[in-house]
Amino acid sequence: MSVAGTNYARDDGVTGISSDILRAVCERAQVQCQQILRFPWQRVYQQTLDDADYGLFSTARTAEREGLFKWVGPIASNEWVLFSKGDSSIQLNSLDDARRYRIGGYKGDAKTQFLLDRGLEVQTALRDSENVKKLERGQIDLWMTSNQAGRFVARQKGLEDLRVVQKLQNALDSLRAEGALRSIEARY
């Protein structure tokens, strides 16, 4: 999003479900919050780590990030998916099947890191909207994103014909079976 040629938006210019929820929370808590949407994500993430006067929303709460922030949430659920173009013939039975395809992700994003941690190659973009263009042009075969936000970003860029190829259900099921999710679930 840009305002008057800049690479950020402020307060009323920041829109969406997470920003609306945050406004309601700040109002109820009687805390003055200024919302600023900036890019690239990695810079904003680092600024939040470096400066105690900054907060970050929305970001995935992962085991690696747990000790880095004081958390409030969750404010939304986030279903991670791999999208392909609607006319794609790609079929995945497991996350491992995705290894043979070109995958696009968002630099510094937990979903992208999830794939990298499992040894998958991911082409990273500074803005997730760049992956929509790459998918349309055939520069990537799969786009790692969240279901709701990904569809929203794609619609904004004029791409409506998407297909969910893999919902990472196998990965979720295996993490749950290993007990790796118990500590996360216990916090909520």
Side-chain angles (χ1 to χ4, degrees):
M1 179 181 295
S2 67
V3 176
T6 63
N7 64 346
Y8 67 92
R10 251 179 226 281
D11 294 325
D12 290 343
V14 180
T15 60
I17 189 169
S18 294
S19 59
D20 289 350
I21 291 170
L22 181 60
R23 279 188 191 92
V25 169
C26 290
E27 184 178 320
R28 174 65 57 92
Q30 297 179 342
V31 172
Q32 185 177 3
C33 297
Q34 180 181 38
Q35 294 185 17
I36 303 171
L37 178 65
R38 293 187 188 265
F39 296 103
W41 169 255
Q42 191 65 36
R43 188 179 109 209
V44 175
Y45 184 88
Q46 190 60 48
Q47 185 174 18
T48 304
L49 291 171
D50 295 342
D51 191 332
D53 291 334
Y54 281 80
L56 182 66
F57 79 99
S58 293
T59 190
R61 188 172 188 169
T62 64
E64 295 80 18
R65 293 176 175 172
E66 183 63 33
L68 300 177
F69 303 103
K70 294 178 181 173
W71 293 90
V72 176
I75 60 174
S77 65
N78 193 0
E79 180 184 33
W80 296 359
V81 296
L82 287 166
F83 280 128
S84 68
K85 290 188 346 184
D87 61 357
S88 171
S89 62
I90 296 174
Q91 295 289 323
L92 302 178
N93 295 313
S94 69
L95 187 58
D96 197 52
D97 289 350
R99 291 181 191 284
R100 59 181 174 229
Y101 297 102
R102 297 169 298 166
I103 303 170
Y106 187 22
K107 186 175 183 177
D109 183 60
K111 295 174 290 300
T112 298
Q113 193 61 50
F114 176 86
L115 296 179
L116 293 171
D117 289 347
R118 281 145 187 84
L120 281 81
E121 290 185 32
V122 181
Q123 299 176 29
T124 59
L126 292 178
R127 293 187 168 107
D128 211 18
S129 59
E130 293 174 28
N131 287 310
V132 176
K133 295 174 193 172
K134 288 180 177 182
L135 191 62
E136 278 187 301
R137 292 186 205 127
Q139 294 171 315
I140 59 174
D141 304 307
L142 299 168
W143 171 30
M144 182 63 172
T145 187
S146 64
N147 197 6
Q148 186 177 17
R151 289 183 190 280
F152 178 77
V153 169
R155 268 194 312 274
Q156 284 186 318
K157 296 296 178 188
L159 180 63
E160 303 243 0
D161 191 18
L162 292 172
R163 189 165 64 90
V164 178
V165 179
Q166 174 68 33
K167 290 187 177 183
L168 304 181
Q169 190 64 51
N170 292 341
L172 177 63
D173 291 344
S174 67
L175 286 168
R176 188 162 280 129
E178 294 165 15
L181 298 182
R182 283 190 200 116
S183 64
I184 296 171
E185 291 167 343
R187 292 190 301 254
Y188 296 99

